Amino acid sequence: MSDQYRRDAAPDGRDESEQERADRHFDELLQELRVAQTGVQILFAFLLTLPFTQRFGILGDGQRAAYLTTLLLAAVATVCLIAPVNHHRILFHRDRKSDFVAAASRLALAGLSSLWLATVGAVYLVIDVVVGTPVAAAVGAGLATAFVAVWYLLPIAQHARRTGQSATMMRPRKPVDEPHEIRSAD
């Protein structure tokens, strides 16, 4: 029996082969990407329509810079969050699922980071147009802080509390999250 089909108890106590673990991680990643893709697609569509509205012409240079930055962040989020679909198509039936899941996980994290920055940028821009830059800056900073706290610090703290590890010393597990190397599909 090859190593990929060998059964072992993972650190989480599950009795599954490396391939079964990769399948489970892939299914979990797909569910997460479905949520994120919907959010980024709605935000990106909103941003793409803004230049065609009547009020877009009255934006100042700073607001246009905020818009373009936000648009590009949404585009990067779109690229990263949809890329795993194309990667899966290319690597399908090539026995690369563990490598694919690890790469897709990194793309998802990059896409989510771009998504929260684009969301903050979009909210900043709308508030800047409606009530002005000082309020927009305060709300944008508060929203950015909320994203960092809820999306990153909270899960890190929960993990550290459960495992007794210091949050700064937390390291991801190796099995699928960090492959030994990314190999070509050939």
Side-chain angles (χ1 to χ4, degrees):
M1 191 177 269
S2 74
D3 282 354
Q4 77 181 29
Y5 298 106
R6 184 174 43 95
R7 302 204 67 80
D8 65 339
D12 62 5
R14 296 172 195 227
D15 182 29
E16 56 190 3
S17 68
E18 179 182 332
Q19 189 168 18
E20 289 169 331
R21 187 176 304 118
D23 287 341
R24 179 174 52 83
H25 287 188
F26 177 63
D27 289 342
E28 291 170 359
L29 181 63
L30 278 180
Q31 292 303 319
E32 294 164 2
L33 288 174
R34 283 185 182 113
V35 172
Q37 286 171 345
T38 301
V40 75
Q41 288 169 342
I42 291 168
L43 177 61
F44 197 37
F46 163 74
L47 291 168
L48 287 172
T49 63
L50 279 182
F52 302 103
T53 63
Q54 289 180 355
R55 290 199 58 192
F56 191 81
I58 65 167
L59 295 182
D61 290 342
Q63 292 167 330
R64 286 180 189 271
Y67 167 76
L68 290 173
T69 301
T70 301
L71 179 69
L72 292 175
L73 284 166
V76 168
T78 301
V79 167
C80 291
L81 292 172
I82 296 176
V85 174
N86 193 57
H87 289 201
H88 183 258
R89 281 295 96 209
I90 292 169
L91 298 175
F92 189 66
H93 286 300
R94 294 186 186 214
D95 201 26
R96 311 300 315 169
K97 190 167 275 183
S98 291
D99 295 336
F100 159 73
V101 171
S105 180
R106 287 191 297 275
L107 282 166
L109 286 172
L112 288 169
S113 295
S114 295
L115 176 58
W116 79 258
L117 289 169
T119 302
V120 169
V123 169
Y124 169 86
L125 181 61
V126 169
I127 292 175
D128 190 20
V129 169
V130 174
V131 292
T133 303
V135 174
V139 171
L143 187 56
T145 301
F147 268 107
V148 170
V150 175
W151 282 24
Y152 300 101
L153 299 179
L154 183 62
I156 289 170
Q158 287 172 337
H159 179 74
R161 196 169 35 252
R162 180 172 181 191
T163 63
Q165 286 181 314
S166 163
T168 59
M169 300 299 290
M170 200 174 87
R171 300 208 193 320
R173 291 189 320 225
K174 283 241 182 217
V176 172
D177 299 326
E178 291 290 326
H180 304 296
E181 64 184 64
I182 301 294
R183 297 176 293 257
S184 72
D186 296 343

